[in-house]
Amino acid sequence: MSKNGSNLRFIFTGGGSGGHVSPALAVAAQLKKELPDAQIIYAGIKGKAEGIMVPKAGIPLKFVNSAPMPGKNPLKLIKFGFIMATGFLKALLIILKFRPHLVFATGGFVSAPIIFATAFLRKITLGGFKTKILIHESNVHPGKMNMMAARAADAVAVSFGETIKNLPKGKGFFSGYPVRNMVAQGEKEKARKELGIPQNGFTVFAFGGSQGARTINRTLANAAPELLKYPDIYIIHGTGKPFGESWEYHGYEDVNEIIGKMDEDVDRQRYVVKDFIDNMELYYAASDLIIIRAGAGSIMEVCNLGKPSIIIPISSVYSDHQTGNARYIERAGAAQVLYEKTDPFKGITTPFLDTEEFVKAIVELRNDPSKLEQMSQKAATIFPGKPAEIIVSHILHLCGKRDKPQIVEGKEYQNDRILGLDSVQLENFLKAVKGGKKPPLEEDEVKLLKNKIDTYFTSSSTVLRTRALRIAGLAKYCELFPIVINCAGSPKEKPFVRRDAFESLQSLVFCDKSYKEEVVKTTVTGLSDPYYETRFQAGKLVRIFAEIYEISSSERKELLYRLYRNLDDRCFEVRVESILAVASIETEKNKAIQNFEKCYFDKVWKVRKALFRGYEILVRRGIITSEEALVEFDKILITSNGYITEYELKKQFNNSKSFIIGKEVK
Amino acid sequence: MFHYIFEIVRESGGPAVFGYITSRTLVAFVSAFFMTLLIGRPIIIQLYKKGFRSFERSYGDINSQSKKGTPMMGGIIMFITGIGNAILWCDMTNPFVIVLIISAVWFGLFGAMDDYLKIKHKNPDRGLSRIVKFSTQILFGIALAIFIVHPSISPLPSNIADGMQVPFYKGILFNSPFLVALWIIFIIVYSANSVNFADGMDGLAVVPSIFIFIVIGIFSYIIGNFIHAQHLLYHFIPGSGEIAVFSGAIVGAALGFLWFNSHPAEVFMGDMGSLFLGGTMGTAAVLIRQEVVFIIAGIIFVIEITSTFIQENIGFKNFRRILYRAPLHHHFHHQGMAESKIVARFWIISAIMAAVAVITIKFR
């Protein structure tokens, strides 16, 4: 190795989509500029974006095998394991042959074989193998694979300041997202001339990535007649093109079909639809407003150009990374975010965007040039510094060629707490909020949360649907009330769904009293549900709505008939809740006492415990007198096989700790 | 170790009483018990200091908060004294003893690894992955099956090695190396997991394990003694009597562990303890080829593992709960039964089933 480090060797990896390849290429270009003799090779997989982009940039490309993580299907898991194993071996060969000084990865599953092979070599040689690993993370919330890779890496460059705290300590540093050299800002007029766009119009450029985005395509096509009523609006629509054969969605055809079906004439002079755009820079430069997906690459390009944008993140059950990215830009004041929806009311499971909302957002921005100006200024300042240069200086530092570079601070914005959580974590988080352990949700968070619940609810997984129901209850998602009632009463739903629907109703009944009749009717069917937990939750619901509804005598009769029958239920939880429910709605004391007598010697003591509580409620409601209740108390078997142990030392510990820190310790 | 000394004493004309299997079993039992008491507390304190403490884990509505912080991986106490005393009092040239010690080390080590990972990640669900756990068990099962069934290395007479024996029937049901090998693998996986599932309440896993080791000790003594075996119509397996000495050491260690683990527990055995106990008892049962007796004696474990299986694979697959909670002890706990009550009842059942297992000696 020569002294000036010109013989350094690097492996770049990462891919799958253009969003992973282009930052790697930007860094590679910068590296070549600083070290013209450095050897760089690129590792990717066949048939993906890197196959086209990397040779264009003049970097030799080697292929490894890799695949994204599959679900729980064992056959697919075996196939996945096989692919990863061969990919790992290929990566080992590449690394051993090339012996790089540093591996630079932009994340995604494509980079996994190279990273793990390098980490493996370093581990088995106990540090004798000195190749460094540097990762660039492009999203706000790193994926699972990237978190694993981050543990093996020497350093992780992040695009968003707030990502650092999710990473292993001391590894993260802010760089920003390296983008290709683009047309500078002030060249709007020149670009418009070149593309034949009127100079004084309001130009909207929508582009959903090279493969197209269904939501953007359909919404824009549907909104086009409405938008074109404003004579100055000029729309350029990049629909995307299917990439390989696996992609079943063909944006260009889809859009033309929608327009063809329309009654109104669409002015195709001002609504230009293109399936493939190769001079992106020009279109970016020519436009006043850009509509994009929230992939890290697109939003960084748009922000670096200082363009205002409307961002439409992909809604996904499994990951929030696009929403996270979009929110970051929105909080910085550089964009407006519109969320895709699914509609649990109409059962629409394909995400869509409300056309009216979409039109309104565009028109409002068109009418407010000062806001556009403000957004575009903010966009230009979100990502300070020169990402590629920062990363290259860190690369050279890791190779021992340069001193530790100065750390650039990335801007941090207050985070939405519900993003980046999976459904289980979300449920636990909401429980903590409800219990007062965490501060309540803000307005924006509620909006995101409702959107998430919709997505869960329309998903095909029963587990996610049950969770959606429970979360809807915890979050008091009142708009969902009628649907939850429907779920609770439908015998076609799975037992867990009915159970959780009733559980959710227990908090939703406080939303709106006008659904009283439906709620009572559903509860009556719920009380004779074949699944015991549903009967149990329905009984609990009776106790809760008894306090807020005026129950008519016929409804009471109907409910009591089922509740008294449930006192003989073979599940003790149903008996417990039936007792409490009876106590909450019964008006005839003799009937209550007579029926309760059946449970005086119940073999599960929790039922007898409920009797005491039941009589307590009856006394409170003034149905029976306290003397009468005490007479009944004496008849109930009071010995049981349950008791609670108490660890006296732990209790003292908690008491003393509470005293010292001045706060209740649990 | 002491076995050699006794041999030397006997050969030079001294008393032979210490060389007998029965006396060595008793001595191993007593010494293991007292050693456990002796090293128990210092080890518990060390575990606590090193941060091997259990964390709260949510079992639905069961309040496990109060047990948070109890030192875990207490299996190491049983491991040290059990194996230590086995080495002290057994004939270390006996192949059965060697296999048992290998199994104890194998399962104990992987159990310890599991506990360590859980502590390291501070998450009870992030121990060894399911696949790794099962593959270590299956791997050991395969090795043991080959050792038993392969005629050239098997320490058992060939007609017994690949023969299936059941209680209440004198002869051998059938001979089939392949089926018996599969059966052995199943027993190993089952026994290693069963104790693990039962280990959810103070003393719940230890006492049934003690009963099982007593039953195994009795059987191996009979089967390893030519006269008793002939008298009771068992197939004599030379050398298997040493398993009784080994069982004695484990029973002593487990009883000593119960000293600390009884309700309210000062230490939990953790996966190290449960895998170690489960793995060795399965191995011992396979070595004397009395697996069915072992299953009868450990009916509590069968119930626990079956209830979990039913709940998860039949219930949850159909989106409903069949039991209130699983394993079965949580089902009762959910109904409000106190922990000590459930544990005592499970002990009673396992004592009765151990007696039933012993009675099968006579009813054949």
Side-chain angles (χ1 to χ4, degrees):
Chain A
M1 194 190 299
S2 67
K3 260 184 188 168
N4 56 13
S6 56
N7 279 353
L8 289 175
R9 293 181 295 274
F10 302 96
I11 294 185
F12 278 50
T13 181
S17 71
H20 285 305
V21 184
S22 71
L25 291 180
V27 172
Q30 180 67 23
L31 192 60
K32 278 226 165 133
K33 212 159 103 192
E34 290 191 28
L35 293 178
D37 296 335
Q39 292 180 46
I40 301 175
I41 59 168
Y42 201 103
I45 59 176
K46 270 184 190 143
K48 295 282 180 186
E50 55 266 35
I52 301 168
M53 294 167 72
V54 174
K56 234 185 209 173
I59 297 173
L61 179 62
K62 305 261 179 208
F63 289 116
V64 291
N65 297 357
S66 188
M69 264 207 255
K72 278 184 180 165
N73 185 337
L75 268 176
K76 281 183 183 162
L77 272 174
I78 290 170
K79 200 180 156 201
F80 171 72
F82 181 74
I83 292 174
M84 289 313 274
T86 52
F88 182 79
L89 290 177
K90 277 189 183 174
L92 273 185
L93 281 179
I94 292 175
I95 294 167
L96 287 173
K97 212 166 144 196
F98 191 66
R99 294 196 76 92
H101 294 87
L102 183 135
V103 168
F104 177 74
T106 46
F109 64 91
V110 174
S111 55
I114 292 278
I115 293 175
F116 294 121
T118 313
F120 172 76
L121 281 172
R122 293 206 310 197
K123 211 157 205 178
I124 58 160
T125 54
L126 300 171
F129 190 82
K130 290 207 170 56
T131 299
K132 304 283 187 209
I133 303 174
L134 181 70
I135 293 175
H136 179 260
E137 172 58 57
S138 47
N139 291 311
V140 174
H141 302 289
K144 263 189 194 146
M145 197 77 113
N146 285 9
M147 280 304 276
M148 261 155 69
R151 272 185 227 131
D154 294 289
V156 183
V158 300
S159 310
F160 298 89
E162 61 190 57
T163 317
I164 293 177
K165 57 177 181 274
N166 298 332
L167 295 168
K169 246 189 179 163
K171 283 193 177 169
F173 66 89
F174 175 79
S175 67
Y177 184 95
V179 288
R180 292 166 282 179
N181 286 329
M182 302 264 270
V183 184
Q185 219 177 333
E187 301 187 11
K188 196 191 245 181
E189 283 159 31
K190 202 176 134 202
R192 287 194 176 180
K193 204 181 260 172
E194 206 164 312
L195 296 170
I197 300 168
Q199 286 293 346
N200 48 6
F202 183 78
T203 308
V204 178
F205 175 43
F207 181 68
S210 52
Q211 304 183 9
R214 177 161 32 200
T215 312
I216 293 184
N217 287 348
R218 290 192 179 164
T219 319
L220 188 56
N222 282 321
E226 197 63 36
L227 284 172
L228 292 175
K229 282 181 187 156
Y230 298 85
D232 60 332
I233 288 186
Y234 188 92
I235 304 168
I236 305 156
H237 186 172
T239 58
K241 206 174 170 178
F243 200 69
E245 282 166 16
S246 58
W247 198 254
E248 79 277 14
Y249 176 67
H250 200 300
Y252 189 68
E253 284 168 12
D254 193 29
V255 168
N256 280 330
E257 201 184 309
I258 292 173
I259 296 172
K261 276 184 194 161
M262 273 177 194
D263 304 332
E264 307 161 64
D265 263 348
V266 177
D267 180 0
R268 297 300 287 259
Q269 294 297 315
R270 289 194 290 128
Y271 180 49
V272 182
V273 181
K274 279 176 171 283
D275 62 346
F276 186 72
I277 294 175
D278 49 2
N279 44 354
M280 284 289 291
E281 298 88 353
L282 276 181
Y283 283 95
Y284 274 147
S287 55
D288 293 297
L289 178 67
I290 299 176
I291 297 167
I292 42 168
R293 278 284 192 210
S298 336
I299 60 175
M300 299 284 174
E301 280 178 358
V302 170
C303 286
N304 271 22
L305 287 168
K307 287 287 176 187
S309 52
I310 289 180
I311 306 181
I312 304 168
I314 285 185
S315 72
S316 157
V317 176
Y318 301 105
S319 126
D320 287 325
H321 73 262
Q322 283 220 348
T323 318
N325 295 347
R327 283 287 293 154
Y328 187 93
I329 308 296
E330 191 182 35
R331 279 193 302 266
Q336 188 173 352
V337 180
L338 296 179
Y339 297 100
E340 289 182 346
K341 283 180 219 164
T342 52
D343 193 341
F345 294 90
K346 292 177 192 147
I348 302 173
T349 54
T350 315
F352 69 98
L353 202 63
D354 192 23
T355 314
E356 269 174 49
E357 194 189 351
F358 181 74
V359 172
K360 203 176 131 210
I362 293 175
V363 171
E364 263 173 21
L365 286 174
R366 165 189 166 271
N367 295 343
D368 194 352
S370 66
K371 194 180 176 194
L372 274 180
E373 182 55 34
Q374 208 184 351
M375 280 166 84
S376 105
Q377 275 172 10
K378 289 215 165 122
T381 56
I382 294 179
F383 300 105
K386 290 179 175 157
E389 283 172 28
I390 297 175
I391 292 175
V392 168
S393 64
H394 276 268
I395 287 178
L396 295 176
H397 165 62
L398 282 175
C399 295
K401 297 289 166 235
R402 211 177 261 184
D403 290 339
K404 196 171 169 74
Q406 241 182 347
I407 297 293
V408 187
E409 293 280 330
K411 279 186 192 160
E412 266 189 55
Y413 299 93
Q414 211 232 319
N415 204 350
D416 297 294
R417 290 165 299 166
I418 64 161
L419 289 179
L421 300 180
D422 65 28
S423 57
V424 179
Q425 290 167 329
L426 187 63
E427 195 183 345
N428 291 336
F429 171 75
L430 288 172
K431 274 182 191 158
V433 170
K434 205 179 179 191
K437 282 182 205 157
K438 297 246 168 82
L441 293 178
E442 283 157 32
E443 206 176 306
D444 280 345
E445 287 175 324
V446 172
K447 196 174 154 197
L448 282 174
L449 179 63
K450 288 184 175 174
N451 201 352
K452 263 188 134 173
I453 294 173
D454 284 348
T455 334
Y456 287 155
F457 193 80
T458 45
S459 116
S460 56
S461 145
T462 307
V463 175
L464 275 180
R465 275 164 60 86
T466 60
R467 218 160 269 147
L469 286 167
R470 292 202 298 268
I471 294 173
L474 286 168
K476 288 232 167 125
Y477 185 2
C478 293
E479 290 86 337
L480 221 55
F481 196 9
I483 297 184
V484 177
I485 297 177
N486 235 338
C487 281
S490 159
K492 270 185 238 150
E493 295 285 359
K494 297 274 189 292
F496 276 170
V497 174
R498 299 198 300 268
R499 173 196 71 183
D500 290 334
F502 273 110
E503 194 182 331
S504 173
L505 282 179
Q506 287 159 19
S507 30
L508 290 181
V509 282
F510 292 99
C511 288
D512 193 345
K513 284 187 190 173
S514 60
Y515 288 109
K516 186 196 125 189
E517 263 174 43
E518 286 90 338
V519 170
V520 173
K521 223 166 108 189
T522 315
T523 313
V524 169
T525 57
L527 287 173
S528 40
D529 195 275
Y531 180 50
Y532 72 85
E533 284 191 307
T534 313
R535 296 197 295 274
F536 154 64
Q537 294 290 0
K540 212 167 172 180
L541 180 60
V542 174
R543 173 157 58 102
I544 286 161
F545 71 57
E547 284 175 21
I548 45 176
Y549 290 163
E550 291 285 332
I551 300 168
S552 72
S553 62
S554 65
E555 283 169 346
R556 176 173 291 123
K557 206 177 146 196
E558 190 76 18
L559 286 168
L560 281 174
Y561 171 70
R562 317 269 154 149
L563 286 171
Y564 282 134
R565 213 173 51 184
N566 280 356
L567 285 181
D568 297 323
D569 202 277
R570 83 196 143 75
C571 162
F572 84 93
E573 285 171 315
V574 179
R575 300 201 291 274
V576 167
E577 283 307 330
S578 302
I579 289 169
L580 297 178
V582 166
S584 317
I585 59 169
E586 180 57 283
T587 47
E588 297 167 49
K589 75 173 173 196
N590 291 336
K591 220 172 138 197
I593 294 175
Q594 202 186 341
N595 279 290
F596 281 179
E597 265 175 354
K598 286 189 282 197
C599 299
Y600 283 6
F601 290 89
D602 199 288
K603 83 179 175 206
V604 178
W605 63 266
K606 283 190 170 174
V607 178
R608 286 176 265 140
K609 186 178 165 194
L611 282 175
F612 292 114
R613 286 174 65 197
Y615 277 121
E616 213 182 293
I617 296 169
L618 283 172
V619 171
R620 199 178 332 129
R621 290 178 56 228
I623 307 294
I624 63 170
T625 63
S626 31
E627 289 78 21
E628 282 168 323
L630 286 175
V631 171
E632 296 302 317
F633 275 21
D634 269 346
K635 296 184 195 161
I636 300 171
L637 175 66
I638 205 165
T639 56
S640 76
N641 57 14
Y643 77 110
I644 299 167
T645 49
E646 200 174 67
Y647 292 84
E648 293 190 27
L649 185 57
K650 275 181 190 160
K651 202 175 157 196
Q652 184 62 50
F653 169 84
N654 286 339
N655 286 347
S656 305
K657 198 172 168 189
S658 310
F659 171 75
I660 288 168
I661 65 173
K663 216 167 80 183
E664 182 89 17
V665 177
K666 240 185 166 181
Chain B
M1 193 175 86
F2 283 103
H3 181 73
Y4 296 114
I5 300 172
F6 296 145
E7 287 284 284
I8 294 162
V9 169
R10 197 169 59 85
E11 276 164 19
S12 56
V17 59
F18 292 115
Y20 297 149
I21 281 170
T22 40
S23 48
R24 275 191 292 132
T25 304
L26 282 177
V27 174
F29 164 70
V30 173
S31 93
F33 175 70
F34 282 108
M35 270 192 209
T36 312
L37 292 199
L38 211 66
I39 67 163
R41 187 150 308 276
I43 289 187
I44 291 172
I45 291 168
Q46 280 308 314
L47 287 172
Y48 192 81
K49 272 190 190 164
K50 294 259 151 48
F52 283 91
R53 306 178 198 178
S54 72
F55 4 63
E56 102 188 73
R57 180 178 197 164
S58 164
Y59 288 109
D61 55 352
I62 289 161
N63 180 13
S64 49
Q65 175 84 37
S66 57
K67 290 190 177 181
K68 194 180 165 188
T70 311
M72 61 180 257
M73 209 171 119
I76 197 163
I77 307 172
M78 275 189 280
F79 185 80
I80 293 170
T81 54
I83 299 305
N85 280 287
I87 293 171
L88 279 181
W89 303 103
C90 288
D91 172 9
M92 285 305 289
T93 54
N94 183 306
F96 296 107
V97 174
I98 294 169
V99 170
L100 279 170
I101 287 178
I102 291 172
S103 87
V105 172
W106 177 270
F107 287 106
L109 256 161
F110 281 108
M113 217 142 97
D114 194 22
D115 282 337
Y116 174 75
L117 286 176
K118 284 177 187 172
I119 298 289
K120 193 180 150 199
H121 293 130
K122 297 195 168 61
N123 183 349
D125 296 320
R126 281 198 57 189
L128 288 179
S129 70
R130 238 175 213 217
I131 298 171
V132 175
K133 260 189 184 172
F134 270 109
S135 43
T136 59
Q137 292 156 8
I138 289 173
L139 217 65
F140 185 83
I142 291 171
L144 184 68
I146 292 171
F147 176 70
I148 298 280
V149 173
H150 202 284
S152 62
I153 47 173
S154 175
L156 285 81
S158 62
N159 67 322
I160 303 167
D162 57 9
M164 183 81 186
Q165 298 182 49
V166 291
F168 309 111
Y169 179 69
K170 277 191 279 269
I172 285 169
L173 210 59
F174 60 83
N175 280 72
S176 158
F178 181 69
L179 288 180
V180 165
L182 280 184
W183 170 244
I184 289 173
I185 294 168
F186 165 75
I187 288 290
I188 292 298
V189 174
Y190 151 75
S191 71
N193 284 300
S194 59
V195 183
N196 205 342
F197 276 112
D199 179 30
M201 282 180 171
D202 303 348
L204 188 62
V206 180
V207 173
S209 306
I210 289 174
F211 284 126
I212 289 180
F213 271 110
I214 292 175
V215 171
I216 288 174
I218 293 171
F219 271 83
S220 54
Y221 176 70
I222 292 168
I223 291 172
N225 184 309
F226 187 70
I227 299 162
H228 292 322
Q230 252 186 350
H231 173 62
L232 294 166
L233 303 170
Y234 276 99
H235 299 275
F236 171 61
I237 302 176
S240 70
E242 283 302 316
I243 296 173
V245 185
F246 182 89
S247 303
I250 300 286
V251 170
L255 211 55
F257 181 74
L258 184 66
W259 191 270
F260 303 105
N261 184 235
S262 54
H263 185 71
E266 290 157 89
V267 65
F268 295 150
M269 65 166 77
D271 276 4
M272 179 172 191
S274 59
L275 281 176
F276 155 68
L277 281 180
T280 43
M281 71 170 74
T283 311
V286 166
L287 286 176
I288 53 171
R289 307 290 295 110
Q290 294 293 339
E291 299 89 356
V292 181
V293 171
F294 162 67
I295 288 175
I296 293 174
I299 202 83
I300 284 294
F301 296 134
V302 178
I303 294 171
E304 294 272 71
I305 212 167
T306 320
S307 61
T308 313
F309 182 83
I310 289 174
Q311 183 84 330
E312 282 181 5
N313 291 307
I314 300 173
F316 287 176
K317 287 267 157 71
N318 293 311
F319 303 104
R320 57 181 303 150
R321 281 201 171 105
I322 290 172
L323 298 156
Y324 292 124
R325 297 290 182 272
L328 197 69
H329 56 263
H330 286 317
H331 174 81
F332 292 118
H333 199 240
H334 184 76
Q335 292 186 21
M337 208 187 278
E339 183 178 339
S340 46
K341 190 96 173 177
I342 300 168
V343 172
R345 286 186 178 166
F346 275 43
W347 288 358
I348 294 169
I349 295 169
S350 67
I352 291 170
M353 292 316 287
V356 170
V358 173
I359 288 168
T360 62
I361 295 174
K362 279 284 179 188
F363 288 89
R364 280 153 61 86

